[in-house]
Amino acid sequence: MGGLMPKSTRTASILAMCVNTQEIGYIWPECCARVLIDSSSNYAVLIEDFASMTPLLAVSIVLDSLQGVFSGVARGCGWQHFAVYVNLGAFYITGMTISGLLGFVLKRYAKGLWIGFYCGLFFQASTLLLITQLKKWKSDFQYFKSIFTNAVKPETQMRVSLVRFWL
């Protein structure tokens, strides 16, 4: 693990201790939860409930990944003000409304709350995607290209010509 480091044995030992500590941090709560669940509830019902929520988990992982990419694009382009409005609209207007309806009115409880939350997440990701798609990227590229080529000094002309070759 630490073969290319200056002190490879020490680095490998530290990494091994960190990995073992992390495993202990995950294993002990899992063992305690299993003991408590086995002793205090009907285990078959829990397995059935978890199995019914597994497709939601898969969809939520994909949606969360997409939302992270699109909000990163918005932040990187300086569109934080758009992202704030999209977040407010998506989560507080769309997501919480659907969560409340599904979770409490239609008696879907945890599954309804989760579906509503991810409807808001889908709305946010799709709105940020739409904003990204409607952006006129060609005009920004031409603007920054003109700034770059006008600010060139004669001694850096060779480097600029290489950059132009790649553009």
Side-chain angles (χ1 to χ4, degrees):
M1 282 193 285
L4 298 177
M5 302 280 192
K7 298 178 181 177
S8 60
T9 37
R10 182 181 294 175
T11 305
S13 298
I14 290 172
L15 285 172
M17 286 189 297
C18 290
V19 169
N20 288 335
T21 305
Q22 184 179 9
E23 283 183 23
I24 291 170
Y26 287 125
I27 290 172
W28 278 107
E30 177 70 22
C31 292
C32 293
R34 285 185 184 233
V35 167
L36 291 174
I37 287 171
D38 287 341
S39 65
S40 65
S41 66
N42 188 354
Y43 194 63
V45 172
L46 287 175
I47 290 174
E48 183 181 321
D49 287 344
F50 182 76
S52 71
M53 302 266 291
T54 303
L56 287 176
L57 180 63
V59 170
S60 69
I61 290 170
V62 171
L63 280 176
D64 195 40
S65 301
L66 290 174
Q67 183 270 341
V69 169
F70 294 134
S71 65
V73 169
R75 254 184 269 129
C77 293
W79 303 337
Q80 291 91 345
H81 56 286
F82 288 133
V84 167
Y85 297 129
V86 168
N87 287 343
L88 289 173
F91 287 113
Y92 290 103
I93 295 173
T94 306
M96 289 186 72
T97 304
I98 294 172
S99 290
L101 287 174
L102 290 175
F104 301 114
V105 175
L106 298 177
K107 307 268 190 243
R108 300 295 294 168
Y109 305 113
K111 195 181 290 187
L113 293 174
W114 202 356
I115 290 171
F117 175 73
Y118 280 101
C119 285
L121 187 65
F122 175 76
F123 180 70
Q124 179 191 19
S126 60
T127 305
L128 289 173
L129 173 66
L130 182 67
I131 291 170
T132 304
Q133 291 295 320
L134 294 177
K135 175 71 176 143
K136 294 182 175 49
W137 294 103
K138 189 78 169 172
S139 62
D140 284 351
F141 175 74
Q142 295 298 330
Y143 173 72
F144 287 114
K145 185 177 176 184
S146 69
I147 289 175
F148 185 70
T149 56
N150 291 337
V152 173
K153 297 178 180 154
E155 62 269 7
T156 60
Q157 188 66 36
M158 180 63 182
R159 282 185 265 156
V160 172
S161 63
L162 289 174
V163 170
R164 282 190 196 147
F165 173 76
W166 290 107
L167 293 178

